[in-house]
Amino acid sequence: MTGFLGVLRRDLRLALAGGGDILTLVLFFVIVGAIVPFAVGPDRELLARIAPGVIWIAAFLAMLLGLDKLFRPDRDEGTLALYRLADLSLPGMVAAKVIAHWLTAALPLIVASPFLALILAMDMDTYWRTLASLLLGTPALAAFGTFGAAVTVAIRRGGLLAPILIAPLSVPVLIFGVGAISPLGGPDQASAAMLFLAALSLMALALSPFAAGLAIDWGEE
Amino acid sequence: MTRGQAQLRLSLEAQGLACGYGETALATDLSFTVPSGSGLLLRGPNGAGKSTLLLTLAGLLQPLAGQIALVGHDPDDGPAIHHCGHRNAVRARLTVRQTLDFWADINGRNGIDAAAALDRVGLARIAGLDAGYLSAGQQRRLVLARLLVSRRPVWLLDEPSAALDADGQALLEALLDAHLDAGGIAIIATHDAIAVERLRTLTLGVAA
């Protein structure tokens, strides 16, 4: 447990000490959402209709930005080798990384989401559901992202490969994430989508540390 | 029983070991036994496979052939091996003290206190400094502190004296001496002279 907390503390410290890292993600998230009205024109109704999708796409892309910082610097400086000899299981280390990744790459986006809601002319009711779906769905994106980063860490310049690898895994998250906000067939289906989203997150959180731990263990020095 | 007490009976044994990357074997047919309280100096020209052998012994690389066994080690006692490679695992933006605390967190705090370890390696004065500003020699000293905060019976050191000054060299020898006195095992790849008794020399040639 000390090791788990140690990894978590270190990653949070590094992210906060950088300062700019988190701000970059948030700005990217807001900018992606903010250019949509310019691209599709100032049609309030259309904007309100596509707003859930835009927010989810912006969140998905912004979270991809942080992936390369998860394991690659650790590998380059030698900390990854230390993890493999540490008195802490690799899945335990990865679980700490997933939590740190969510706290530094997803939570700031959720905090910044009111800005996007404003820009995209979202009504209050839709915004609350957006907030709930982001809170439920982003843990799955963080878990899949960490897995992708772990699999590609041994590959030089593999940073671009991770997004391609996890895109298919993230598709269900986006489908149910948007489905939970803009119900096509009434409120019943929205709550069903919300449950699916929660199930996806739980499954991803439970499995990804083990998968990523194996990937790191098999990767050669 | 606390960790570390069992190390008196340990020995690190290699049988017909071959190590390398992929199809390329760098060192082959190595057999040696290192009982506790003694060590091995790996010598040989660049590319002879010293670092690769250390990585293999640490379990970070799969051996191409042969076996490695740490006889007398109870897996319940936790990991037995400290490996210090070329890279120091020191990250800018964390202070010296935070870096050492992090290592103690993931490796287990069963050695001496972090503050005492920094004092021992001569970094106590700059404990609050961003580790990114450390010189190469100071980073090596910080790595030596990692060996002290978590007690493990086997030390695998890859060129530990590179970038160390004369004081640092003496410090390394004193630490090694104390480690072997306590029944530890040390395997060191180096080009420098390390004046510690109980170290045998194993010379690796260039792979034919």
Side-chain angles (χ1 to χ4, degrees):
Chain A
M1 200 62 199
T2 342
F4 177 84
L5 291 177
V7 175
L8 190 59
R9 198 159 39 223
R10 172 180 187 261
D11 274 25
L12 292 180
R13 252 190 202 135
L14 283 172
L16 294 176
D21 293 358
I22 292 179
L23 195 65
T24 312
L25 286 187
V26 169
L27 282 180
F28 181 81
F29 173 68
V30 173
I31 286 170
V32 168
I35 56 170
V36 170
F38 295 102
V40 302
D43 179 346
R44 284 181 64 92
E45 264 179 41
L46 176 67
L47 276 182
R49 204 167 70 238
I50 62 172
V54 172
I55 287 194
W56 264 103
I57 288 171
F60 173 66
L61 292 179
M63 285 184 73
L64 289 183
L65 278 188
L67 286 189
D68 216 30
K69 295 206 187 72
L70 274 174
F71 294 109
R72 191 164 305 278
D74 282 351
R75 176 189 153 82
D76 291 345
E77 84 200 355
T79 304
L80 205 62
L82 271 185
Y83 283 138
R84 293 174 63 184
L85 294 173
D87 193 11
L88 161 74
S89 66
L90 286 174
M93 181 275 286
V94 175
K97 289 262 182 192
V98 172
I99 294 173
H101 181 48
W102 188 81
L103 287 174
T104 56
L107 194 59
L109 306 184
I110 294 172
V111 171
S113 62
F115 289 104
L116 270 197
L118 212 61
I119 292 169
L120 298 170
M122 224 180 218
D123 61 66
M124 213 49 204
D125 186 43
T126 319
Y127 176 67
W128 289 124
R129 271 184 283 143
T130 307
L131 196 64
S133 84
L134 281 176
L135 278 171
L136 279 180
T138 44
L141 289 186
F144 288 140
T146 310
F147 165 67
V151 170
T152 53
V153 69
I155 306 167
R156 227 165 274 284
R157 310 200 48 84
L160 292 172
L161 205 58
I164 299 171
L165 194 70
I166 63 166
L169 293 171
S170 303
V171 166
V173 182
L174 293 186
I175 291 175
F176 289 113
V178 175
I181 305 170
S182 53
L184 299 173
D188 280 358
Q189 293 201 350
S191 60
M194 208 67 102
L195 286 176
F196 263 109
L197 205 55
L200 272 173
S201 276
L202 285 176
M203 195 180 70
L205 286 176
L207 296 181
S208 72
F210 295 98
L214 265 185
I216 288 171
D217 202 21
W218 286 349
E220 297 227 318
E221 257 309 290
Chain B
M1 189 170 86
T2 57
R3 285 181 183 186
Q5 276 183 324
Q7 56 184 258
L8 284 170
R9 293 174 283 108
L10 278 183
S11 75
L12 183 66
E13 295 175 7
Q15 268 297 319
L17 191 63
C19 56
Y21 293 93
E23 302 281 288
T24 314
L26 292 172
T28 51
D29 203 21
L30 300 166
S31 296
F32 52 81
T33 300
V34 189
S36 54
S38 70
L40 208 56
L41 275 182
L42 299 180
R43 298 206 175 266
N46 297 137
K50 301 184 293 294
S51 301
T52 315
L53 175 59
L54 287 182
L55 284 172
T56 310
L57 288 173
L60 296 172
L61 272 181
Q62 286 293 321
L64 299 183
Q67 274 110 38
I68 305 162
L70 188 57
V71 179
H73 176 251
D74 181 356
D76 289 345
D77 286 347
I81 295 175
H82 268 307
H83 175 264
C84 300
H86 297 293
R87 293 166 301 176
N88 296 324
V90 170
R91 178 84 72 93
R93 292 187 200 168
L94 291 177
T95 68
V96 170
R97 179 62 198 264
Q98 285 168 350
T99 306
L100 188 59
D101 276 334
F102 163 66
W103 289 338
D105 280 341
I106 61 169
N107 285 337
R109 287 175 192 274
N110 54 355
I112 64 176
D113 179 60
L118 283 180
D119 197 37
R120 183 79 182 82
V121 299
L123 294 178
R125 207 167 45 81
I126 52 166
L129 184 72
D130 186 328
Y133 295 127
L134 295 187
S135 72
Q138 286 175 315
Q139 290 196 5
R140 288 316 266 182
R141 283 168 181 257
L142 185 52
V143 169
L144 291 179
R146 177 167 88 216
L147 301 172
L148 300 177
V149 290
S150 314
R151 226 143 69 88
R152 290 185 178 178
V154 182
W155 290 4
L156 305 176
L157 312 179
D158 199 348
E159 308 216 14
S161 53
L164 282 181
D165 54 17
D167 271 0
Q169 177 90 13
L171 167 73
L172 172 68
E173 285 165 2
L175 292 181
L176 276 171
D177 226 15
H179 177 62
L180 296 184
D181 276 344
I185 292 173
I187 299 187
I188 305 148
T190 184
H191 297 289
D192 299 328
I194 292 185
V196 178
E197 284 174 46
R198 295 166 289 177
L199 290 182
R200 281 185 298 137
T201 301
L202 176 70
T203 307
L204 302 179
V206 183

